[in-house]
Amino acid sequence: MRQINVAAAQMGPIQRAEGREVVVKRMLALMDEAKGKGADLIVYPELALTTFFPRWYVEDQAQVDAWFEHDMPNDAVRPLFERAAKYEMAMNLGYAELTPDGHHFNTAILTDRSGKIIGKYRKIHLPGHAEFDPERAFQHLEKRYFEPGDLGFPVWRNLGGIFGMAVCNDRRWPETYRVMGLQGVEMVLIGYNTPSVNSQKSEEGPEKRLFHNRLSVQAGAYQNSCWVVAVAKAGVEDGFPLIGGSLIVNPDGEIVAEAKTERDELVLHACDLDATVFGKKTIFDFARHRRIEHYGLITSRTGAIPPP
Ligand code: CDV
């Protein structure tokens, strides 16, 4: 048994006017509660430090850059790193990253028990659009504010297991999990900000969105025989609702813990990493069963081309 106590730290809304200090206080409160419940790892959402700013169309780059972190850790978030180190708790955190040479990414990091950053992932599947779209009920400007991640889907050894990261829209793509699955991933950590209504299809509301969230995460876990921890920023930000539904899924694809609210809420589970072994040695023993000679289109073609 290789048991890891995981705390999925769902966060309620962050309003546009709110600063990082207020947000970090809330994150520290979640971390304190997680420590009280014996957590080894705390997982925060995508863009955990700010409102989900890609809904706002902004032309002034300096204003945009104020939503980005220029260093990690920086003064605003250092208390999180210090407390995580004191608690000997590993941490996964999503934020907007501005690199010293001016690149913008939607990033997640992983620390070890000493608070040291051991892994960085930059979101690869960026949804949305780059210019103001008057046809949409609200904007989703990730393609404007971020570049596609340039680090691939690496995995890291931590807490006696093998961990990977993904960010929000990545969870809908089977390639995300499979590339990590091929590196033996045992637990995938995912943060998300998912609007409760489809901006291009108003009849697609929270029920369908929560269904797709579960469907994607459960399939990824089952098909790669790994744990998946998916954590929301939820609730109503400046009038725009985001789904909750943070969940922990076991390597059989079953939900073992799920959030009940759209507020700051811990979702906890003791995850045995050895539970990944059976599936990896049997039905999803990739080395025995995969047929890569038939998968060429996956990497040679991006969009679908139907036959004539
Ligand atoms: N932050 C996201 O990547 N959100 C997307 C939206 C487009 C639905 C998601 O896949 O949840």
Side-chain angles (χ1 to χ4, degrees), residues 176-308:
T176 296
Y177 306 90
R178 184 49 51 88
V179 172
M180 291 189 262
L182 286 167
Q183 300 166 82
V185 78
E186 295 176 317
M187 184 176 283
V188 177
L189 312 175
I190 304 174
Y192 61 93
N193 284 249
T194 298
S196 306
V197 179
N198 188 324
S199 63
Q200 296 169 292
K201 190 181 181 197
S202 58
E203 61 276 25
E204 186 183 306
E207 261 180 43
K208 181 76 75 71
R209 296 229 130 183
L210 286 163
F211 166 67
H212 287 154
N213 182 45
R214 291 189 201 103
L215 181 68
S216 308
V217 169
Q218 290 182 256
Y222 170 63
Q223 292 170 348
N224 296 277
S225 195
C226 63
W227 292 90
V228 180
V229 181
V231 186
K233 177 141 62 61
V236 182
E237 293 189 334
D238 296 288
F240 297 94
L242 299 165
I243 60 166
S246 301
L247 71 171
I248 301 178
V249 176
N250 72 19
D252 281 324
E254 297 162 327
I255 297 171
V256 294
E258 197 166 15
K260 295 178 181 60
T261 72
E262 291 185 346
R263 298 189 298 274
D264 291 3
E265 177 185 347
L266 280 189
V267 177
L268 296 136
H269 190 76
C271 304
D272 178 10
L273 297 179
D274 282 339
T276 62
V277 173
F278 180 75
K280 287 185 190 296
K281 283 197 169 154
T282 56
I283 196 157
F284 294 117
D285 181 348
F286 295 160
R288 274 196 296 147
H289 306 309
R290 290 181 80 244
R291 287 285 163 211
I292 58 171
E293 64 273 28
H294 298 294
Y295 303 159
L297 280 185
I298 298 277
T299 53
S300 64
R301 186 180 286 181
T302 308
I305 305 177

Side-chain angles (χ1 to χ4, degrees), residues 67-280:
W67 280 309
F68 282 74
E69 310 306 314
H70 301 219
D71 304 288
M72 187 55 65
N74 54 40
D75 288 346
V77 299
R78 197 160 285 112
L80 276 175
F81 283 73
E82 288 170 357
R83 195 154 318 168
K86 180 174 141 205
Y87 290 163
E88 299 186 344
M89 194 185 295
M91 173 172 74
N92 170 227
L93 167 70
Y95 64 98
E97 176 191 10
L98 176 55
T99 69
D101 54 347
H103 293 283
H104 296 76
F105 297 105
N106 188 341
T107 296
I109 46 157
L110 178 65
T111 67
D112 64 13
R113 285 190 191 274
S114 75
K116 184 174 141 224
I117 297 175
I118 58 155
K120 178 180 277 190
Y121 169 73
R122 291 172 172 154
K123 184 174 183 176
I124 286 174
H125 300 101
L126 294 175
H129 49 111
E131 295 303 330
F132 187 84
D133 180 355
E135 302 293 313
R136 293 182 184 242
F138 50 89
Q139 303 298 296
H140 195 112
L141 290 153
E142 288 198 56
K143 287 192 195 293
R144 179 180 188 82
Y145 298 135
F146 302 115
E147 297 160 60
D150 58 353
L151 300 174
F153 291 103
V155 301
W156 299 269
R157 287 194 182 275
N158 199 13
L159 301 171
I162 303 174
F163 287 79
M165 293 185 272
V167 176
C168 195
N169 191 259
D170 287 320
R171 75 196 188 287
R172 304 183 192 276
W173 300 86
E175 295 87 348
T176 296
Y177 306 90
R178 184 49 51 88
V179 172
M180 291 189 262
L182 286 167
Q183 300 166 82
V185 78
E186 295 176 317
M187 184 176 283
V188 177
L189 312 175
I190 304 174
Y192 61 93
N193 284 249
T194 298
S196 306
V197 179
N198 188 324
S199 63
Q200 296 169 292
K201 190 181 181 197
S202 58
E203 61 276 25
E204 186 183 306
E207 261 180 43
K208 181 76 75 71
R209 296 229 130 183
L210 286 163
F211 166 67
H212 287 154
N213 182 45
R214 291 189 201 103
L215 181 68
S216 308
V217 169
Q218 290 182 256
Y222 170 63
Q223 292 170 348
N224 296 277
S225 195
C226 63
W227 292 90
V228 180
V229 181
V231 186
K233 177 141 62 61
V236 182
E237 293 189 334
D238 296 288
F240 297 94
L242 299 165
I243 60 166
S246 301
L247 71 171
I248 301 178
V249 176
N250 72 19
D252 281 324
E254 297 162 327
I255 297 171
V256 294
E258 197 166 15
K260 295 178 181 60
T261 72
E262 291 185 346
R263 298 189 298 274
D264 291 3
E265 177 185 347
L266 280 189
V267 177
L268 296 136
H269 190 76
C271 304
D272 178 10
L273 297 179
D274 282 339
T276 62
V277 173
F278 180 75
K280 287 185 190 296

Side-chain angles (χ1 to χ4, degrees), residues 15-36:
Q15 308 309 323
R16 186 175 179 176
E18 283 179 301
R20 286 169 181 68
E21 289 69 23
V22 179
V23 178
V24 168
K25 259 194 196 137
R26 283 168 50 190
M27 295 170 82
L28 286 169
L30 284 162
M31 192 183 280
D32 290 345
E33 189 186 338
K35 175 65 182 168

